[in-house]
Amino acid sequence: QLVESGGGLVQAGGSLRLSCAASGGTFSTLPMGWFRQAPGKEREFVAAITVSGGDTYYADSVKGRFTISRDNAKSMAYLQMNSLKPEDTAVYYCAADPEGTFTKDEAWGSWGQGIQVTVSS
């Protein structure tokens, strides 16, 4: 089970940190990812991190502004979002256990319920 927290309303240029708490005992063996879905749009890849945390991947739209990380001892994943823009407004989802192309949402086996992030201009 994955549970996101840390969303909310922030002004453009501000920062938020999303957290994803995992339960079930296998967190430390699973790659993790973040996706987002804006109103009227398909869910899109944001970032992913390998099991060890040694490799990270980002969508071009967030590269240099967002940072994904994880703490395997706490079964937590994080998404630090800086320099937020109104176009970052979306429901953000934590995901785990991918098979196949990790930038595609159908590759991921487990999902959180999502959390709203709203960036005002």
Side-chain angles (χ1 to χ4, degrees), residues 16-96:
L16 281 175
R17 187 175 85 150
L18 302 183
S19 298
C20 174
S23 60
T26 60
F27 175 85
S28 63
T29 68
L30 301 175
M32 298 294 295
W34 289 92
F35 283 72
R36 67 186 182 186
Q37 186 168 22
K41 295 187 177 181
E42 294 186 351
R43 190 158 54 184
E44 64 175 3
F45 170 76
V46 174
I49 188 168
T50 54
V51 171
S52 68
D55 292 293
T56 56
Y57 307 89
Y58 298 94
D60 288 343
S61 59
V62 307
K63 202 171 294 183
R65 300 187 298 122
F66 291 12
T67 302
I68 188 172
S69 62
R70 66 189 296 160
D71 184 336
N72 287 342
K74 296 181 179 179
S75 295
M76 297 289 294
Y78 306 98
L79 185 68
Q80 177 67 44
M81 306 185 294
N82 298 329
S83 302
L84 282 160
K85 305 175 182 180
E87 51 263 45
D88 294 318
T89 295
V91 176
Y92 282 71
Y93 297 89
C94 176

